[in-house]
Amino acid sequence: MNRIVFATNNAHKLEEVRALLPDYEVVSLADIGCYDDIPETATTFYGNAALKANYVTTKYGLDCFSDDSGLEIDALNGAPGVFSARFAGEPVDHDNNIRKVLEELKGVTNRNARFITVIALIRNGESYFFEGTVEGTIRTEKSGEGGFGYDPIFQPNGYDITFAEMSQDKKSSISHRGNAVKKLVQFLESDHI
Ligand code: ITT
């Protein structure tokens, strides 16, 4: 089976992506002995995805891919965006992040938002990017126990439940990450490499 390194410390992302790449042995940072706090100092999803993938390739000499993702809320001018993980400060706390979003959207009627994922793949010294998005709205309170991060307050368009109320398979069939990984798979299965 083809082995591929996924440069993430996020166990939820890893689980979602592994399920979408059944024909690959998807190896995590922990699996290659990397416990570093990889700097994410860029101001775009593309920049941070490239930083994470380049870090692994430079330090370990391995081809790999990374995922930088986040939630953009129109009424907050695109925030939390690239700061999604640490929106309510350090250490990362998803409940506090959700509380902060709900607080800032109190009384706001435009609740349009989208999740974005950018995957950076480094293969044989070349970088490739794959983007996925999903449009939706922000609920006024949490609902559901599944998923991670902002899933309990994100309702994708066309559904009356949140990502946290969907099975992982259902979420991945329409999600930002699912859409980006589909493009990655198409690329890996094509003749590019
Ligand atoms: P790695 O950098 O180690 O991959 P991370 O959690 O730090 O993991 P990001 O820097 O890409 O990942 O930050 C993504 C944040 O955006 C994440 O912590 C969540 O708050 C949010 N997020 C991303 N994808 C999400 C999803 O599918 N559902 C809910 N929230 C999500």
Side-chain angles (χ1 to χ4, degrees), residues 2 4 22 44 57 78 80 97 103 105 129 133 157 170 175 180:
N2 286 320
I4 189 157
T44 62
T57 297
N97 287 339
E103 191 60 37
L105 288 184
F129 294 91
T133 60
N157 287 350
K170 183 66 206 173
S175 77

Side-chain angles (χ1 to χ4, degrees), residues 22-38:
D23 297 335
Y24 291 81
E25 183 195 352
V26 180
V27 175
S28 71
L29 288 177
D31 293 331
I32 60 166
C34 177
Y35 298 97
D36 304 351
D37 190 13
I38 302 175

Side-chain angles (χ1 to χ4, degrees), residues 12 16 144-149 151-152 163-166 168 171:
H12 298 279
E16 288 183 6
E145 303 294 329
F148 71 101
D151 281 347
F163 266 170
E165 294 173 296
M166 288 181 180
Q168 182 178 287
K171 175 187 169 186

Side-chain angles (χ1 to χ4, degrees), residues 6-11 13 16 29 38 40 45 48 52 66-71 81-86 92 94 97 115-117 147-152 154 163 171 175-177:
F6 180 21
T8 187
N9 286 310
N10 183 318
K13 285 185 182 178
E16 288 183 6
L29 288 177
I38 302 175
E40 292 184 42
F45 295 115
N48 281 327
K52 289 187 255 193
S66 65
D67 159 320
D68 200 61
S69 46
L71 179 66
V82 290
F83 304 110
S84 291
R86 291 163 183 78
V92 174
H94 294 312
N97 287 339
F115 273 121
I116 298 179
T117 288
F148 71 101
Y150 299 92
D151 281 347
F154 184 84
F163 266 170
K171 175 187 169 186
S175 77
H176 49 315
R177 182 162 301 105

